[in-house]
Amino acid sequence: MSYSHQSMGSGLFSPFLIIVNVICFLEILVMLLMIKFLSKIISIEIILGSRNARGYEFGRTYVVRPKGKHQATLVWLHGLGDNGSSSSQLMESLHLPNIKWICPTAPTRPVSSLGGYTCTAWFDVGEISEDSHDDLEGLDASASHIANLLSSEPADVKVGIGGFSMGAAISLYSATCYALGRYGTGHTYPINLRAVVGLSGWLPGWKSLRNKIECSYEAARRAASLPIILTHGTADDLVPYRFGEKSAQSLGMAGFRQAVFKPYEGLGHYTVPKELDEVVQWLTTRLGLEGSR
């Protein structure tokens, strides 16, 4: 009886187990194919956070791969309290198929303007004013991290930096580091920037910039060669319009001859399609991306 039961079991369950294994294998195969398919559609790669040499812990980085021929790579920097994920979604929506976007996440740190509240921030900032103190250590740490993200790009690919609000501030600070050839700490700045974008931001260290640039022929040459676009809403209540305008004037006076400023009447501290369309057109022209996919 026992023998008969074992025979029945082996006859019934062996084919069943084979079918189950086949189904499991097919499910895994379908899942892998879906992941591969979705990765091509979404085109976003996620890289885990890292600690840089200065000890700052940066969050996840999101990479949007180009849909056409890879001609340029831009790092896009989010605003205070935001992250690289939202930046990557915005960048993916732009009609710039030849650009690879790298969207990092700032370190989480106490912020003076928020009473010491902890959130993602590229550097510490208090009240934005003409007499405000610049967090040079935080600025250099973020600028160094961003430069490192661009350091492995192919030699024939043009590189740039852009951002919104605080992200725009660190973008403009990186532009000054490029022109001077060094960070605020004196270490060499290693990236050959070809374009810088700043939306609703401000320029850290604007007071002393002109004197620093004028002291060096090479710094003046690099400043004059770097295309920069700044945009700002006249109704911005977080980063007042006058600081965007003052930043553009300071860049111009320091020798950044290709810096342009675009005001948007009635715009607050956010972006609008018209503004982004102008940035797309500006990048297409400045980076020579016309007619290539």
Side-chain angles (χ1 to χ4, degrees), residues 140-154:
D140 275 352
S142 289
S144 175
H145 178 70
I146 294 157
N148 186 57
L149 292 173
L150 290 169
S151 63
S152 60
E153 290 303 296

Side-chain angles (χ1 to χ4, degrees), residues 93-210:
S93 71
L94 301 181
H95 184 62
L96 288 166
N98 306 113
I99 293 182
K100 169 185 172 183
W101 296 97
I102 302 176
C103 305
T105 300
T108 298
R109 55 178 299 160
V111 179
S112 297
S113 63
L114 301 178
Y117 177 79
T118 298
C119 69
T120 53
W122 298 110
F123 53 93
D124 187 29
V125 61
E127 180 184 0
I128 300 175
S129 70
E130 294 187 359
D131 299 318
S132 60
H133 170 72
D134 291 319
D135 173 21
L136 199 60
E137 181 183 347
L139 285 163
D140 275 352
S142 289
S144 175
H145 178 70
I146 294 157
N148 186 57
L149 292 173
L150 290 169
S151 63
S152 60
E153 290 303 296
D156 62 338
V157 169
K158 299 170 185 176
V159 298
I161 304 174
F164 173 77
S165 190
M166 178 178 270
I170 196 68
S171 299
L172 296 175
Y173 179 74
S174 295
T176 65
C177 291
Y178 161 72
L180 294 168
R182 65 182 186 276
Y183 297 102
T185 55
H187 293 94
T188 301
Y189 186 79
I191 303 301
N192 181 24
L193 292 179
R194 301 295 297 273
V196 173
V197 180
L199 312 184
S200 304
W202 72 98
L203 173 64
W206 63 271
K207 284 185 177 181
S208 60
L209 180 60
R210 182 177 180 180

Side-chain angles (χ1 to χ4, degrees), residues 49-282:
S50 62
R51 184 182 296 273
N52 75 354
R54 301 172 189 267
Y56 286 84
E57 187 75 37
F58 289 83
R60 289 180 175 178
T61 296
Y62 298 77
V63 179
V64 181
R65 295 189 294 273
K67 297 178 178 65
K69 180 182 178 182
H70 184 195
Q71 293 183 299
T73 296
L74 267 73
V75 173
W76 189 265
L77 308 170
H78 61 76
L80 181 66
D82 209 340
N83 58 63
S85 176
S86 58
S87 295
S88 68
Q89 294 171 45
L90 176 62
M91 295 305 104
E92 191 182 25
S93 71
L94 301 181
H95 184 62
L96 288 166
N98 306 113
I99 293 182
K100 169 185 172 183
W101 296 97
I102 302 176
C103 305
T105 300
T108 298
R109 55 178 299 160
V111 179
S112 297
S113 63
L114 301 178
Y117 177 79
T118 298
C119 69
T120 53
W122 298 110
F123 53 93
D124 187 29
V125 61
E127 180 184 0
I128 300 175
S129 70
E130 294 187 359
D131 299 318
S132 60
H133 170 72
D134 291 319
D135 173 21
L136 199 60
E137 181 183 347
L139 285 163
D140 275 352
S142 289
S144 175
H145 178 70
I146 294 157
N148 186 57
L149 292 173
L150 290 169
S151 63
S152 60
E153 290 303 296
D156 62 338
V157 169
K158 299 170 185 176
V159 298
I161 304 174
F164 173 77
S165 190
M166 178 178 270
I170 196 68
S171 299
L172 296 175
Y173 179 74
S174 295
T176 65
C177 291
Y178 161 72
L180 294 168
R182 65 182 186 276
Y183 297 102
T185 55
H187 293 94
T188 301
Y189 186 79
I191 303 301
N192 181 24
L193 292 179
R194 301 295 297 273
V196 173
V197 180
L199 312 184
S200 304
W202 72 98
L203 173 64
W206 63 271
K207 284 185 177 181
S208 60
L209 180 60
R210 182 177 180 180
N211 289 336
K212 290 178 180 178
I213 296 291
E214 289 180 344
C215 289
S216 166
Y217 170 80
E218 281 301 313
R221 182 187 63 79
R222 284 190 292 265
S225 69
L226 180 61
I228 302 175
I229 184 170
L230 297 88
T231 67
H232 216 107
T234 60
D236 194 326
D237 56 351
L238 292 181
V239 180
Y241 173 80
R242 68 180 185 277
F243 291 109
E245 189 176 43
K246 183 68 176 178
S247 297
Q249 292 171 352
S250 299
L251 286 169
M253 291 174 64
F256 288 84
R257 298 174 187 172
Q258 297 190 57
V260 296
F261 181 67
K262 297 272 189 177
Y264 286 86
E265 189 65 34
L267 181 66
H269 197 67
Y270 50 86
T271 61
V272 290
K274 180 182 177 182
E275 179 185 24
L276 294 176
D277 288 345
E278 289 204 42
V279 170
V280 166
Q281 184 58 48
W282 184 85

